[in-house]
Amino acid sequence: MSSTQGSIETQEAINRFADALRQRIGTDRFRLWFTHGVRFDVEPGDDETESLVLYVSGPFAADRIAKNFTTDLRASAIAAIGDHGRFRLDVAKQAEQPALLLDADDDEEAQDHDQRDNRFDDEEASFGNRHEPESRSESNGPKKSRNSSSFRRNGLSNSKRPGAGKLSSLLAESSLTNREENQEASSRSGESRSSRSTQSSRDAGSPSGGPTRDRRASSRDEANSQPLPPLPESHPTAGRTLESFITGPCNEFAFSAAAMAISTPEVATPLFLHGPTGTGKSHLLHAVAEEFRRRRRMRRVVLLTAEQFTNDFVGSVNSTGLPAFRRRYREVDALLIDDVHFLAAKTATLREALYTLETLAAAGKPLVFTANLPPADIRGLTGEVAGRMASGLVCPLTNLDAETRLALLKRMVKTRCVLDCEEELLVEVSESVGGDARAVTGVANLIGMLQRMFRREPTIEEIRRFGGDLLRNTRSAPSLRSIERAVCDTFGLEGDGLRGKAQTKRVSEPRTLAMYLARQHTGSAFTEIAQHFGRRSHSGAIAAQQKVEAWLTSGKAIGGGDGAMSAQDAITRVEARLRVG
């Protein structure tokens, strides 16, 4: 947001208007709609009234602002400049590009061009009179027809031509005139020599220059006729291929689904990969994009994060408008979006994303997504978007198991270290690292650095000394508060809903499950657990453990309404939320 330079009263009125508008619509919406491409000013009226003018960058943004914020803008204008305050939306004028040539010089340029053409015609006639009729017919005839045809193509004549105001016209005329002057000079020199020189100049003029110009023209035509290149990717795909992806029990199902999406994208997509950080979701996403380009010969494969999609949407609303944005994302061969949980609770972006996904799905285009949770468990994701993303394959990826961690560590040490490591050392290190692949990569870099520092293979004590933070468990143990929050998110309850005295099935059964999970995942005593969840004694926590064990045996559904699910399913979803934090 900016304002014009004016008096102190004008600046104060603009500041009051901005503060009032920010309070009415909220800081986030104000930052989204009124900080980029919008300028405020105060304009006095005829009847001693003032109006607040909003200069907007484009007509589309002006229409959206008028549609959504008219009442708020009117109220903010009254608060800023009084009861008679008004506001007005104007589209800011774009700076016009100055003309290439001044109007005063156009006539002189055209006259110089006419005089030069007339001089060329006179010289051609004088040179032609010096030689026999055959030579005149070979030299003057084609030149006159070439000049006349070129002027006819450019809409020009010797008597009257418009001013040279366009760059394309200037370049075309300049290149044409230079080519004619060169050809005329070579013709004059050839005519003054013997017939042998004349013949050689003809041979040099036709076969050598013609094919070169034809090749250049054809290359330009091919470049202009080629479609637009694919959008740039958010991250490079170097190294992230299917061949470099290490499979194991933790990701074998997702890897098979990705391979199926590559071979039969019309059947196996939308593909949705979910799991905690460091399980290989982004690696698989980039590998699928690379295979789409290499094996499926898709040219417009768009891979980006949900944050980039949101920023592009907001920027399009405030500048060029939605038609260009929709062409950019709906006229593609494949769309791959990373971290779609970032779209949660963004109403306008979710609506546009839904229409984009519907368009691509109807056209049979492949869709691939990644997130930290399944679509149904992402709060703030609308039912339509979640349903569309889950309509294909939903594949989980879990923390790396011991076998996969060891294989990944061996691969990293082989590619990033200068010396080989003993098998026993790598086994001991992999057992100390958590299930995050990024931590495994950090340990491999640490080993390579220690090899360069000590000029030998480091010991396990030296690795623990310099990389103790990496070797310790990278994920902290869940707390009572985190378990309570995960259970509330799973069943759609308020943040402190489990601590109340409500005894309805919708609240009491999730509370019982939360006390059971607190006993399983924390070192808290029964008394501490019971007090945290509002129970009077430890007997309530003991009874909760016994109830949940019975639910798991019988497969009983817990919760109420649409959020009801089996006890085992509920535990799986809560533990997944605990893993992603």
Side-chain angles (χ1 to χ4, degrees), residues 245-255 272-282 284 371-374 394-405 408 434-438 440 474-475 571-573 575-580:
F245 189 84
I246 298 177
T247 59
C250 57
N251 54 30
E252 188 174 5
F253 177 64
F255 181 82
F272 195 99
L273 307 174
H274 67 89
T277 303
T279 54
K281 303 185 302 295
S282 297
L284 270 183
N372 56 1
L373 292 171
V394 179
C395 306
L397 291 90
T398 59
N399 292 327
L400 301 186
D401 55 274
E403 179 184 352
T404 307
R405 283 202 308 271
L408 178 60
D436 191 340
R438 299 172 183 175
V440 177
T474 56
R475 303 185 187 279
I571 292 175
T572 302
R573 295 190 179 190
E575 290 178 344
R577 290 183 180 275
L578 292 176
R579 284 194 296 268
V580 300

Side-chain angles (χ1 to χ4, degrees), residues 105-221:
D105 298 335
D106 290 346
D107 294 337
E108 297 178 5
E109 196 70 27
Q111 292 175 3
D112 294 341
H113 196 82
D114 292 341
Q115 294 175 1
R116 183 173 54 191
D117 293 341
N118 293 333
R119 185 175 66 253
F120 289 160
D121 294 339
D122 296 340
E123 292 176 356
E124 290 173 358
S126 63
F127 277 108
N129 292 331
R130 300 174 187 175
H131 300 279
E132 61 274 5
E134 290 80 359
S135 175
R136 183 171 63 250
S137 62
E138 291 179 1
S139 61
N140 287 346
K143 291 184 179 182
K144 291 182 179 180
S145 62
R146 202 162 46 240
N147 291 338
S148 61
S149 62
S150 63
F151 287 142
R152 282 196 301 270
R153 282 196 303 271
N154 293 296
L156 302 175
S157 62
N158 290 334
S159 60
K160 182 178 180 181
R161 281 191 292 271
K166 293 186 178 180
L167 181 60
S168 59
S169 300
L170 289 174
L171 294 177
E173 293 176 15
S174 176
S175 61
L176 177 63
T177 304
N178 292 336
R179 186 165 62 249
E180 290 173 352
E181 290 177 350
N182 295 334
Q183 292 177 354
E184 184 177 356
S186 62
S187 174
R188 288 198 301 266
S189 62
E191 291 173 355
S192 63
R193 297 189 183 96
S194 62
S195 59
R196 180 178 55 82
S197 301
T198 304
Q199 182 64 28
S200 62
S201 64
R202 292 176 187 174
D203 297 338
S206 56
S208 62
T212 303
R213 288 194 298 270
D214 294 341
R215 285 195 298 270
R216 292 175 181 174
S218 62
S219 62
R220 288 195 300 268
D221 295 340

Side-chain angles (χ1 to χ4, degrees), residues 487 491 493 497-498 501-513 547 551 555-561 563-566:
V487 172
F491 288 94
L493 303 176
L498 300 181
K501 298 181 179 180
Q503 296 298 323
T504 61
K505 182 178 179 181
R506 180 175 178 271
V507 177
S508 62
E509 291 181 345
R511 182 194 299 126
T512 302
L513 180 67
K547 285 184 179 179
W551 293 346
K556 180 181 181 297
I558 61 177
M565 65 189 77
S566 66

